[in-house]
């Protein structure tokens, strides 16, 4: 299995546009939702002209606008999007530098939020992550994803059908829904790993393969990787839920801070589950070592019993194998059969004695 590790963070200067990720094949796509309680409009393959018209139109100032961008490798386009939306250049630089730790920043009336999200890859044993960044400003929310995924498919369907309260709320509630979808994906990933961990725990009692320990270490490494991804998210959510008394920022309604407190609690639950699964792997490793030690003890016990049984026989054979001329019983007619009988009785007695002592 390929070793999973974070790449060393590269030092990218502010206002220097360079995408530091690895997803550079798919074209950059933009999708825009404009909605209120009465209805919605959806735009696919949005151009910069359409973006200017919809986001800067004063007649739609009260409508909630969600711009979702897939792909970050076209840095010129990302820079132009930032210019159209009035996003500071250093923030756009942070969006492109995906190797940085997840964090949250306030700048004037804009909230910047970046987190790590797990990518689902069928058949892949290693975990891959992407950075998702959000900008919250007035009634506009912008989400930047490194590649196309299905994290927010159910949210789009709610907007289209008017399900739930998403169209009755502002963009801060939409941010909550997207963060909740990302966190739920952590839960799903951990549940999938727990199935494999339970199998390892069962196999630990009977495993004799040397690669069993490699499987345990691989699972432990994956859990550590998940932990490193969720810890910054936990810290960012704690900061987010703690700024409700900040009079300088009103991008999130105070009534909605309860939702972000829930997300923070979920992140703590994920960390607790990761810790529990890590302890389970540790138990599986200990069981494996104990099982191997027990098997080795059984083997040594069996070999010791056979050795002890043959010790008196070896002694008898050794005595009568000496080449002294005047040894007693040397000329006895039935001496050979008598010695064999003595040896047989000795073996039977020792086996009986060992069985009675429950040594085997």
């Amino acid at each position: 299995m390929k070793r999973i590790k974070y790449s060393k963070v590269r030092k990218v200067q502010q206002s220097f546009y360079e995408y530091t990720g690895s997803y550079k094949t798919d074209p950059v796509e933009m999708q825009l939702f404009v909605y209120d309680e009465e209805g919605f409009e959806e735009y696919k393959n949005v151009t910069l002209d359409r973006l200017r018209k919809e986001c800067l139109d004063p007649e739609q100032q009260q409508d909630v606008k969600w711009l979702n961008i897939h792909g970050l490798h076209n840095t010129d386009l990302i820079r132009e999007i930032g210019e159209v939306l009035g996003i500071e250049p250093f923030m756009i630089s942070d969006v492109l530098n995906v190797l940085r730790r997840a964090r949250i920043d306030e700048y004037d009336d804009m909230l910047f939020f970046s987190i790590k999200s797990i990518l689902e890859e069928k058949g892949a044993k290693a975990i891959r992550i992407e950075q998702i960044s959000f900008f919250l400003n007035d009634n506009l929310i912008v989400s930047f994803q490194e590649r196309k995924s299905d994290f927010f498919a159910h949210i789009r369907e709610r907007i289209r059908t008017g399900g739930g309260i998403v169209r009755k709320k502002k963009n801060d509630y939409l941010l909550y829904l997207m963060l909740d979808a990302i966190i739920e994906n952590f839960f799903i990933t951990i549940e999938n790993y727990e199935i494999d961990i339970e199998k390892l725990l069962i196999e630990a009692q009977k495993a004799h393969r040397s690669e069993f320990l490699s499987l345990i270490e691989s699972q432990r490494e994956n859990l550590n990787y998940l932990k490193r991804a969720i810890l910054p998210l936990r810290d960012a959510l704690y900061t987010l839920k703690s700024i409700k008394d900040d009079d300088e920022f009103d991008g999130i309604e105070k009534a909605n801070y309860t939702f972000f407190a829930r997300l923070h609690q979920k992140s703590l639950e994920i960390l607790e589950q990761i810790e529990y699964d890590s302890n389970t792997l540790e138990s599986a490793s200990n069981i494996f070592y104990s099982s191997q030690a027990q098997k080795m003890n059984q083997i040594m016990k069996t070999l010791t019993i056979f050795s002890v049984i043959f010790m008196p026989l070896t002694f008898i054979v050794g005595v009568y194998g000496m080449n002294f001329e005047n040894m007693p019983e040397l000329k006895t007619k039935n001496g050979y059969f008598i010695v064999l009988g003595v040896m047989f009785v000795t073996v039977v007695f020792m086996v009986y004695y060992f069985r009675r002592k429950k040594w085997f």
Side-chain angles (χ1 to χ4, degrees):
M1 179 185 295
K2 183 180 179 181
R3 179 175 175 81
I4 305 173
K5 61 180 180 180
Y6 279 101
S7 301
K8 185 176 180 180
V9 177
R10 295 173 56 189
K11 294 182 179 180
V12 179
Q13 296 180 355
Q14 293 183 349
S15 304
F16 182 74
Y17 301 103
E18 179 184 0
Y19 173 55
T20 56
S22 56
Y23 304 106
K24 302 179 180 180
T25 55
D26 298 332
V28 178
E29 296 181 1
M30 293 190 291
Q31 182 186 37
L32 177 66
F33 278 93
V34 180
Y35 65 88
D36 58 15
E37 189 174 354
E38 302 299 327
F40 79 99
E41 294 180 354
E42 179 181 358
Y43 304 96
K44 299 180 180 179
N45 300 321
V46 179
T47 62
L48 289 175
D49 291 336
R50 170 61 67 178
L51 185 62
R52 292 189 185 93
K53 180 180 179 182
E54 297 298 330
C55 293
L56 304 180
D57 187 357
E59 296 182 0
Q60 299 187 90
Q61 188 174 3
Q62 299 302 319
D63 296 339
V64 177
K65 306 172 188 67
W66 173 26
L67 175 64
N68 190 55
I69 301 165
H70 295 120
L72 302 178
H73 54 278
N74 189 342
T75 56
D76 291 335
L77 178 59
I78 301 300
R79 176 184 55 80
E80 291 178 357
I81 293 173
E83 292 174 353
V84 170
L85 301 178
I87 301 175
E88 291 294 326
F90 75 90
M91 289 185 173
I92 294 297
S93 178
D94 288 341
V95 169
L96 297 173
N97 188 8
V98 300
L99 302 180
R100 296 193 63 178
R101 195 174 188 264
R103 63 195 182 92
I104 181 172
D105 277 333
E106 282 183 62
Y107 186 78
D108 292 337
D109 58 347
M110 182 171 291
L111 179 70
F112 171 61
F113 196 102
S114 68
I115 62 174
K116 305 298 181 183
S117 178
I118 302 172
L119 289 172
E120 294 184 0
E121 294 190 0
K122 295 182 179 180
K125 295 183 179 180
I127 296 176
R128 299 182 68 87
I129 66 170
E130 68 164 333
Q131 175 173 289
I132 301 181
S133 301
F134 301 95
F135 287 96
L136 195 70
N137 184 21
D138 295 330
N139 283 329
L140 172 67
I141 183 169
V142 186
S143 54
F144 291 89
Q145 297 181 248
E146 290 190 69
R147 55 176 286 185
K148 203 166 187 177
S149 59
D150 295 329
F151 292 131
F152 309 138
H154 65 289
I155 300 176
R156 296 186 182 96
E157 192 61 26
R158 285 191 191 182
I159 294 175
R160 295 183 184 112
T161 61
I165 60 174
V166 60
R167 287 198 351 210
K168 299 178 182 178
K169 292 282 189 176
K170 293 186 177 180
N171 55 352
D172 54 347
Y173 183 76
L174 180 59
L175 174 63
Y176 157 72
L177 289 180
M178 289 191 283
L179 293 178
D180 185 61
I182 292 170
I183 290 178
E184 283 298 320
N185 194 44
F186 274 92
F187 278 111
I188 294 172
T189 302
I190 292 175
E191 288 177 0
N192 292 335
Y193 275 112
E194 284 179 342
I195 296 175
D196 295 332
I197 290 173
E198 289 178 1
K199 292 179 180 178
L200 288 175
L201 189 60
I202 295 174
E203 188 179 353
Q205 302 177 6
K206 56 182 179 180
H208 59 275
R209 299 176 296 143
S210 59
E211 61 268 21
F212 178 78
L213 289 177
S214 298
L215 296 176
I216 291 180
E217 289 304 316
S218 296
Q219 294 292 351
R220 185 182 287 118
E221 192 174 71
N222 287 341
L223 290 178
N224 288 335
Y225 195 67
L226 288 174
K227 186 176 182 178
R228 292 180 65 186
I230 198 67
L231 277 173
L233 176 58
R234 179 204 61 182
D235 297 339
L237 287 171
Y238 178 79
T239 302
L240 188 60
K241 81 181 185 69
S242 302
I243 62 175
K244 65 179 179 180
D245 297 325
D246 186 356
D247 295 331
E248 297 181 0
F249 181 75
D250 57 357
I252 298 178
E253 295 181 355
K254 291 189 176 182
N256 291 336
Y257 279 99
T258 304
F259 296 120
F260 295 99
R262 293 179 188 172
L263 295 180
H264 179 254
Q265 183 61 36
K266 282 188 174 183
S267 67
L268 295 179
E269 292 175 4
I270 292 175
L271 288 172
E272 290 176 357
Q273 194 62 42
I274 290 175
E275 190 67 26
Y276 173 81
D277 292 335
S278 297
N279 292 336
T280 302
L281 285 175
E282 186 69 26
S283 298
S285 179
N286 293 336
I287 291 174
F288 175 77
Y289 281 120
S290 299
S291 176
Q292 295 290 45
Q294 184 178 4
K295 290 179 180 179
M296 181 60 66
N297 289 338
Q298 285 294 114
I299 294 172
M300 295 303 298
K301 183 179 179 180
T302 302
L303 294 176
T304 301
I305 289 174
F306 275 100
S307 298
V308 172
I309 289 176
F310 277 93
M311 282 176 63
L313 305 184
T314 304
F315 173 75
I316 294 173
V317 172
V319 170
Y320 282 93
M322 292 187 295
N323 296 319
F324 291 108
E325 192 171 332
N326 296 319
M327 286 184 63
E329 295 93 21
L330 201 60
K331 304 293 185 179
T332 304
K333 181 179 180 180
N334 296 318
Y336 172 72
F337 300 102
I338 294 173
V339 172
L340 286 180
V342 171
M343 295 171 67
F344 177 78
V345 171
T346 301
V347 170
V348 172
F349 173 77
M350 295 184 69
V351 171
Y352 169 76
Y353 181 78
F354 291 158
R355 294 285 292 181
R356 187 171 182 180
K357 291 290 185 178
K358 298 182 179 180
W359 291 352
F360 69 92

